[in-house]
Amino acid sequence: MFANVMLLIAAYTTTKAVRDAVFLSKFGLTQLSYVMIGIAVAAGFMVSVFTRVTRRWPRDRVIFGTNTFIAVSLVAIAGGLRSGHLPWLSWALYFWSGVFGLLLVAEFWLLANDLFHAREAKRLFALIGAGGILGGVVGGALSGWLARPLGTTNLLYVVAAQLVIAAGLSHLAWKRRPAELSAETHRPAHLRFAEGVKALRKIRYVRLLGWMMVLMTICMTLVQWQYKGIAKAHFGSHRDEMTAFFGTLAAVLNLGSFFLQLLVTPRLLARFGVKTGLRVLPAGFLIGGVLLIVSSLLGGGLELAAAAVAVLLSDGFRFSVDKASVELLYLPIPRPVKDQAKPFIDTVADRAAGALAGVLWLFLTWAFHIDDPGRIGFASLVTIALVAVWLVVIARARGGYVDAYRRMLAVDHPPAPTEIFAREQASTRVCEAILRTSLDSDPPARTRALRAIGRLQRGAPELRLPRDRIEPHLRREIAEVALLARGLRGEGAEPIGDRTRSRPLLVRTLEERLDRALERITRLLSLVYPPRDILAAYRALHGASSGDRAGALELLDNLLEGGWKGELMQALDDVAFGAALAPKEREERTDTLALLLDEGDGWLRACAAFTARAAGLHAETLERLARNDPDPMVREAARGDGEARAAQPAEPAALAEKDARC
């Protein structure tokens, strides 16, 4: 699939370089505006007809037929362009590439959805997407290297070969899909115009996503046309040189995007979240717009360099950081709505925005002669104004994103009370006092203290303490959760797994302590953040659905702030999705047992000592505990005195009774 998408994007990148050079060597940006309007009118209709015709065919046959038909059409267009007797083919190539590019990418990702289940998709789609960016590098480099020796139109033969090879790779991938997915594979709902419009009209969050697509496409189109207009003024009718320039810049652009996708995007989203990721692309448009305006004012041949930088910023961020961030926005939308809304936004809304950009460019040309080479940079004033609106939409969409996860996890938010609770200030003081005294206590005491705070919270449900009040307590609980989850994996158990079957004593103890530690974290967070949100996330983390657990983590990731956030999210991710280690991978069990033998919890130390003695590990540590540990249970387990009486030590009845009272 990596090689497949690399070939597809390489083919499309080369086609774009050819079509731009062929069209701009004969026509101007005004004629290009008419083409964009025509694509917008026809693309939605053609895609809808295509999905209706092919929806009953197997996915691999649809892709093979589509790629082959496109390859044959490009070979025919290349032959017509070489003859020079059919000038309308320049229009046809631009129009046809705008339509089939949409089909190629859409069919590829539908194939990917049929091949991988949700957990695999989360792990693999970023890597597969990086293959698409690398394909842009390959396509751009081929255009830059081969345009002069082969000629611009002959590059379409290379594109046709790439499409046929990609079709073969799709067939191979389809044949290798897992048997269980093959039985469950279903055909996605085909695009229906009326259903897409209905989703936009009724759901505010979906409407905001549509506006984000429209604003992004208009800004992208304006920057692309400024770049093409400046390139046309610079190269004139030298078609091969223009193709080589477009291809080389595309290679540089996609190479930068490739490294951004692999090195920057995952870290940026993990540390700062989707709200920062969504703002990166508008910032790129803003910087590029300022550069274009300054270059137009200064002159001196700087316009082409400024346009190239603007395109590098906009396209580079678009296909790396922004693409990943926008795809995250669709995760909490219910699938029936998503199946209609997302294809509609990605096709009809995107092409309609391209048509709006064409109309806007025609107006600017008529009113201000913006297509003049000396004035074309000032079109960035419109881009900057649109970026301002875009940032407002992003802020509202981010709030809708959090609300969507609340609805996904069924969080009930009643109206805010009209009166301030009279005891809130007193409850806050009591909570702070309990937190101060419980910092150095053992886990059961910390649990009891936080449960006492919870009883006070019932009267004043949202205390909203300062974040720094809970930070030292959270860090302690985070470290304990990380240790307990690591201990479970080392013992061959999943932190969130099947607890109905019989399990060893240490595993049961670790599970119990992990549940208590997660409860303490939940109660601490509810002192600062809305308790209903925190409780819904806590319940989802204990659920059987991996989708709900992922939704809980994403809700917390967008709610929480502070220096401890990264550590907490990593610990919770290990709990929610950490798999048990295979027997050959359990070398870390020795280190984990050593840490558990030093824990402050006496019963946990006793269980770890019993397990270590049974496994023949840490003999010196067990000897030390048998002599010096203050807890008699630990000394007995370390000596192995109870082995003749029972296979496992029993938890003291007094401790069990105390926990039951808690």
Side-chain angles (χ1 to χ4, degrees):
M1 291 295 283
F2 182 94
N4 188 354
V5 73
M6 183 180 70
L7 285 172
L8 289 176
I9 301 302
Y12 186 54
T13 302
T14 302
T15 304
K16 288 197 298 182
V18 173
R19 77 174 189 190
D20 289 341
V22 169
F23 192 90
L24 292 175
S25 64
K26 297 181 180 180
F27 305 102
L29 296 180
T30 301
Q31 290 80 6
L32 184 57
S33 302
Y34 294 131
V35 174
M36 292 299 296
I37 295 173
I39 291 175
V41 171
F45 171 76
M46 294 181 67
V47 172
S48 180
V49 170
F50 173 82
T51 54
R52 288 175 184 271
V53 170
T54 61
R55 67 179 182 269
R56 298 184 183 277
W57 298 355
R59 180 72 66 197
D60 61 332
R61 294 185 183 179
V62 171
I63 292 177
F64 186 82
T66 303
N67 288 21
T68 303
F69 178 77
I70 294 171
V72 171
S73 68
L74 291 177
V75 169
I77 290 175
L81 290 173
R82 290 183 62 190
S83 68
H85 301 304
L86 301 171
W88 55 269
L89 280 178
S90 301
W91 294 74
L93 176 61
Y94 210 107
F95 182 88
W96 179 225
S97 64
V99 174
F100 78 66
L102 191 70
L103 293 176
L104 290 175
V105 176
E107 283 297 326
F108 172 81
W109 286 110
L110 288 175
L111 173 67
N113 279 294
D114 284 348
L115 294 180
F116 304 108
H117 60 64
R119 288 298 304 277
E120 291 174 330
K122 283 187 174 183
R123 189 174 71 252
L124 297 176
F125 276 12
L127 176 63
I128 292 174
I133 297 174
L134 187 61
V137 178
V138 173
L142 287 177
S143 304
W145 295 336
L146 301 179
R148 292 186 182 92
L150 292 184
T152 295
T153 56
N154 291 329
L155 291 176
L156 294 179
Y157 298 120
V158 179
V159 170
Q162 291 172 330
L163 293 177
V164 172
I165 296 173
L169 291 174
S170 297
H171 178 74
L172 292 176
W174 180 261
K175 293 300 182 184
R176 283 162 174 75
R177 68 193 188 281
E180 63 273 15
L181 288 181
S182 177
E184 297 174 0
T185 296
H186 63 279
R187 302 297 297 171
H190 56 276
L191 178 63
R192 294 176 180 173
F193 187 87
E195 293 295 332
V197 172
K198 181 179 178 181
L200 287 177
R201 188 178 71 251
K202 286 193 170 184
I203 304 174
R204 179 176 178 270
Y205 179 55
V206 174
R207 201 159 55 244
L208 289 170
L209 296 181
W211 278 115
M212 286 176 56
M213 173 63 76
V214 168
L215 291 167
M216 185 275 296
T217 301
I218 294 176
C219 291
M220 186 73 70
T221 304
L222 291 177
V223 171
Q224 288 285 342
W225 285 356
Q226 288 175 284
Y227 164 61
K228 293 172 184 178
I230 293 172
K232 176 178 173 60
H234 181 83
F235 291 103
S237 60
H238 299 287
R239 188 169 65 182
D240 292 344
E241 286 76 6
M242 195 185 306
T243 303
F245 175 75
F246 285 155
T248 302
L249 188 67
V252 173
L253 163 68
N254 285 281
L255 186 61
S257 299
F258 179 75
F259 286 108
L260 277 175
Q261 178 79 349
L262 291 182
L263 303 179
V264 177
T265 300
R267 292 175 174 82
L268 186 144
L269 292 178
R271 181 170 182 178
F272 300 105
V274 69
K275 64 179 181 181
T276 301
L278 292 172
R279 293 170 181 164
V280 170
L281 181 58
F285 279 119
L286 186 62
I287 296 171
V290 171
L291 289 176
L292 282 167
I293 293 172
V294 171
S295 67
S296 296
L297 291 173
L298 296 178
L302 299 175
E303 293 86 350
L304 185 61
V309 172
V311 169
L312 289 173
L313 289 174
S314 59
D315 279 20
F317 292 147
R318 168 71 182 94
F319 296 108
S320 55
V321 179
D322 188 72
K323 180 64 175 174
S325 302
V326 170
E327 290 301 322
L328 286 175
L329 295 180
Y330 286 97
L331 289 178
I333 300 177
R335 181 163 295 279
V337 178
K338 188 191 308 183
D339 285 344
Q340 297 299 335
K342 191 177 188 304
F344 182 85
I345 292 173
D346 288 347
T347 58
V348 179
D350 178 65
R351 298 309 178 185
L356 286 175
V359 173
L360 179 60
W361 189 269
L362 290 175
F363 170 76
L364 293 174
T365 301
W366 170 76
F368 305 105
H369 301 288
I370 202 69
D371 58 345
D372 184 272
R375 298 185 180 183
I376 197 169
F378 294 105
S380 294
L381 294 172
V382 179
T383 303
I384 293 172
L386 291 173
V387 165
V389 179
W390 189 1
L391 290 173
V392 174
V393 174
I394 286 175
R396 295 184 178 180
R398 193 253 175 178
Y401 178 63
V402 177
D403 289 338
Y405 271 108
R406 287 180 175 133
R407 289 191 295 272
M408 174 183 171
L409 301 177
V411 183
D412 180 25
H413 273 272
T418 56
E419 298 180 1
I420 299 177
F421 185 65
R423 292 173 54 196
E424 182 171 348
Q425 187 174 1
S427 298
T428 301
R429 290 199 301 268
V430 172
C431 291
E432 292 177 346
I434 295 176
L435 287 174
R436 283 197 301 271
T437 58
S438 65
L439 182 60
D440 296 325
S441 55
D442 59 5
R446 298 201 302 270
T447 302
R448 290 194 296 272
L450 289 170
R451 285 174 175 173
I453 294 175
R455 289 192 290 272
L456 292 174
Q457 266 186 288
R458 294 172 188 171
E462 294 198 16
L463 296 180
R464 299 298 180 99
L465 298 182
R467 291 197 306 269
D468 60 344
R469 299 300 302 162
I470 67 171
E471 180 171 358
H473 308 276
L474 265 178
R475 289 190 181 278
R476 178 168 185 169
E477 304 300 345
I478 291 168
E480 182 158 353
V481 166
L483 174 62
L484 295 171
R486 180 181 174 186
L488 282 168
R489 291 197 304 273
E491 294 300 312
E494 297 183 8
I496 300 293
D498 181 14
R499 299 189 179 182
T500 60
R501 56 184 175 81
S502 176
R503 301 175 313 287
L505 174 67
L506 180 58
V507 171
R508 297 199 307 269
T509 304
L510 289 170
E511 290 172 346
E512 176 194 342
R513 269 40 176 186
L514 179 61
D515 290 342
R516 298 287 175 82
L518 291 175
E519 178 192 341
R520 292 194 295 272
I521 288 177
T522 300
R523 292 185 179 278
L524 285 168
L525 292 176
S526 67
L527 300 177
V528 178
Y529 301 97
R532 290 179 179 85
D533 292 342
I534 302 301
L535 180 59
Y538 171 76
R539 288 172 175 168
L541 281 174
H542 285 78
S545 169
S546 61
D548 286 349
R549 295 200 296 271
L553 292 178
E554 192 62 23
L555 176 61
L556 292 176
D557 195 23
N558 283 273
L559 284 177
L560 307 183
E561 296 178 348
W564 39 264
K565 174 183 170 181
E567 301 171 24
L568 175 60
M569 295 308 301
Q570 181 61 53
L572 294 181
D573 190 78
D574 289 342
V575 170
F577 298 110
L581 299 178
K584 293 182 179 179
E585 298 174 331
R586 293 186 194 169
E587 288 81 2
E588 72 170 55
R589 183 189 189 195
T590 304
D591 299 333
T592 306
L593 279 175
L595 294 174
L596 294 177
L597 290 172
D598 287 334
E599 268 289 286
D601 186 330
W603 175 243
L604 184 57
R605 287 203 314 279
C607 295
F610 178 83
T611 303
R613 176 166 289 279
L617 300 172
H618 301 297
E620 295 182 1
T621 303
L622 291 175
E623 184 178 349
R624 175 175 57 81
L625 292 176
R627 292 195 311 268
N628 304 324
D629 196 276
D631 193 316
M633 285 188 304
V634 178
R635 294 198 299 270
E636 180 179 351
R639 289 194 301 266
D641 292 346
E643 291 178 357
R645 296 189 303 270
Q648 295 178 343
E651 186 171 10
L655 183 59
E657 182 181 354
K658 181 175 66 174
D659 286 343
R661 287 200 304 271
C662 289

